[in-house]
Amino acid sequence: MKSLLIISRHAPTRHAAREALDVALAAAAFDVPCGILFMDDGVFQLMRGQDAAQIGQKSLAANLQALPLFGVEDVLVCQHSLGERGLQASQCLLEARVVNNAEIATLIEHYDQILTL
Amino acid sequence: MKSLLIISRHAPTRHAAREALDVALAAAAFDVPCGILFMDDGVFQLMRGQDAAQIGQKSLAANLQALPLFGVEDVLVCQHSLGERGLQASQCLLEARVVNNAEIATLIEHYDQILTL
Amino acid sequence: MAGLLCFHWVGFMKFAIALLAGPQDPAARSALEFARAVLSSGHQISHLFFYREAVHLASLLGVQPQDEQDITAEWRQFITEHRLDAVVCIAAALRRGVLDKAEAQRWERPAANTAAPWELSGLGQWVDALQSADRAVTFGT
Amino acid sequence: MAGLLCFHWVGFMKFAIALLAGPQDPAARSALEFARAVLSSGHQISHLFFYREAVHLASLLGVQPQDEQDITAEWRQFITEHRLDAVVCIAAALRRGVLDKAEAQRWERPAANTAAPWELSGLGQWVDALQSADRAVTFGT
Amino acid sequence: MLHILRHSPHADSRFASCLRAINADQSLLLIEDAVYTLLPGTSGRNALEYLPASVSLYTLESDLLGRGVALDDISSRIEVIDYQMMVALCTEHAKVVSW
Amino acid sequence: MLHILRHSPHADSRFASCLRAINADQSLLLIEDAVYTLLPGTSGRNALEYLPASVSLYTLESDLLGRGVALDDISSRIEVIDYQMMVALCTEHAKVVSW
């Protein structure tokens, strides 16, 4: 099996964020070794206290929490992106491993395929 | 008549650029006093030497050249946006008046309505 | 004294509301919430105009998952209930494959995917709306 | 020596190509030009997958101005001519109102707007494509 | 004049363009993903703080809550409003510019 | 590994994100609006020049010509290619990442 890293870089309010999670969950359901890296505005998906109903949306929380249950092994968040946005890993609603630029470059080398979504 | 300023801020390859020009031309056709300000990536619309057929597009040149003919009075380009992109007004395919930030703020005060497209 | 009061009393206004982004963009909801608030504040909506990707809101074919809100259905209901003019830019709609029966016949396409309360018409409608409204607000830039 | 030659000889490859952006985005053309070059280089396209706004490419209803190229028609012709598998993500398509006859009936919508050579299917098809292809290239991110 | 920003300060150059075009005595309303600009300790928030005190700043409560931006974290300079108040703001300003 | 950038360096944070993730001995291909990065005298072009010499840089000729970016202005470090050569690049690299 080729491993797959999904780089999710859209804010949770963008439909693209939901569709990136769908790809990760679909891949994991087919037993593809799969990781997900939240980067750029994608880190906003991990903010606690989002009340999506206020803006007429369905919460992403269930899809996010399904990631480890479905076997998405690596849940990662970009340190640089968090910092730029004034966020800390302790504020995240998933246990995501914080990775720096060098670690991201290594991750991208390590996985067989990368999808930026 | 209420005057209308259109701020066109998309690169020429984006469909949004064409649709912003369509609005300016439609307004001018109805004799609305109308200006257009090219800002951000919108200044790329004014670059000389674009061969749109190379990328399967129809050139924007005809629509741009129609602006003064249709009576679009002010054709303006943002100095800051040009500078950031390494461009000079002399490289533009329309005679556009270069405006700085203070002049842009004044323009926005002067026009009755502003559409960012 | 009356003059001063008049100055503060803005009165009821006619709003023109334009939407540029499609059903998947949060702007589709912002515009609807704003439109609802315009009416509930006692103002009037003189024009609704749908341009660029917003023309997809006029499609009758979208199917949303059961646990998600259907913004196109909400817009359709709002427009119908308040008998509003909802103009979809015809040039933008044709390009993106949003056709009513007349256009589907004219261009010999196999089906239509929009109908009343949506109306396909030209950009002139928006130009006109901008002239006649007291306030023009654009969503989904 | 044979080993060294083998290392440099990449051979013919199976490409999976995904497109995420719609017909109005320059990526729709980049992906098509790339796909043509894959075939003209002697390689094979094992899968085409259309996700997000790219599902609108499968609509049969778009009408382009006469002096502009019709990218959806070009894609349709390319897929038909080379008998390629062109899978449109069914979940993304339903949301955006791109339905074939079967889905239009299932969801009781008044019309269908897509048909062969486009095929509506699940994300599993893309996952499968990523596994079986030698190279996977995404356009329109 | 009322300026409305809706995009994330990180995703686009609109934020900078709007700030370059804003005059003293005008108003700025942050909606949708632009509410992320209000997060403490960010360059966007600093840029807002540097605006002249005569610029009035507003944001939509539902967009804050929807995105998990805590009301407690918002600068006291920002007035938190609802859609009815947004309509009122539009009536009080002669022009509305959406960026 | 081949990185492909397609967005204008001014419109989005992808350019910066890609540069943060790129390793020496990898390749970068600029297509579509990313060719604007090649304009002389811009911060984007400078950022490209600062990449290690071991990073190979490519761009698509049709995208340059379509946007009016003059071939003469392109740094000699950049190899100008067509779609067939882009396909060849994809076969020569084990992985392709589109930003």
Side-chain angles (χ1 to χ4, degrees), chain D:
Chain D
M1 207 47 206
L4 271 175
L5 280 172
C6 276
F7 182 76
H8 286 285
W9 167 242
V10 291
F12 296 129
M13 286 193 171
K14 285 188 290 182
F15 277 79
I17 301 173
L19 178 59
L20 309 179
Q24 269 69 44
D25 192 293
R29 173 157 301 277
S30 304
L32 178 58
E33 296 294 345
F34 181 80
R36 285 176 173 151
V38 165
L39 297 187
S40 67
S41 303
H43 300 291
Q44 195 190 327
I45 297 174
S46 57
H47 297 85
L48 290 170
F49 193 80
F50 298 83
Y51 197 42
R52 287 200 193 147
E53 304 307 321
V55 302
H56 288 301
L57 275 160
S59 168
L60 301 169
L61 303 189
V63 179
Q64 305 312 312
Q66 279 194 337
D67 54 353
E68 291 182 35
Q69 298 190 14
D70 185 342
I71 186 74
T72 67
E74 286 185 66
W75 263 109
R76 198 159 57 234
Q77 197 190 333
F78 175 78
I79 291 162
T80 307
E81 189 181 323
H82 298 284
R83 296 181 192 179
L84 300 172
D85 276 340
V87 173
V88 177
C89 173
I90 190 165
L94 286 174
R95 279 181 184 287
R96 292 170 177 84
V98 176
L99 310 183
D100 61 13
K101 249 187 200 155
E103 294 304 318
Q105 277 175 3
R106 183 196 321 268
W107 300 101
E108 299 178 352
R109 289 298 187 274
N113 56 354
T114 191
W118 307 96
E119 185 200 336
L120 301 183
S121 190
L123 271 178
Q125 296 278 325
W126 193 15
V127 172
D128 186 48
L130 292 170
Q131 287 298 320
S132 61
D134 297 305
R135 291 293 180 274
V137 186
T138 310
F139 288 86
T141 48

Side-chain angles (χ1 to χ4, degrees), chain A residues 37-41 43 76-89 97-104, chain E residues 10 41-42, chain F residues 13 15-21:
Chain A
L37 166 63
F38 296 92
M39 200 172 180
D40 297 324
D41 278 359
V43 303
L76 309 150
V77 58
C78 167
Q79 184 174 53
H80 180 95
S81 306
L82 282 175
E84 264 186 336
R85 287 160 185 77
L87 303 177
Q88 291 177 328
R97 183 157 63 90
V98 181
V99 286
N100 63 26
N101 293 344
E103 288 168 310
I104 290 171
Chain E
H10 305 281
T42 63
Chain F
S13 54
F15 179 61
S17 298
C18 170
L19 291 195
R20 286 193 278 122

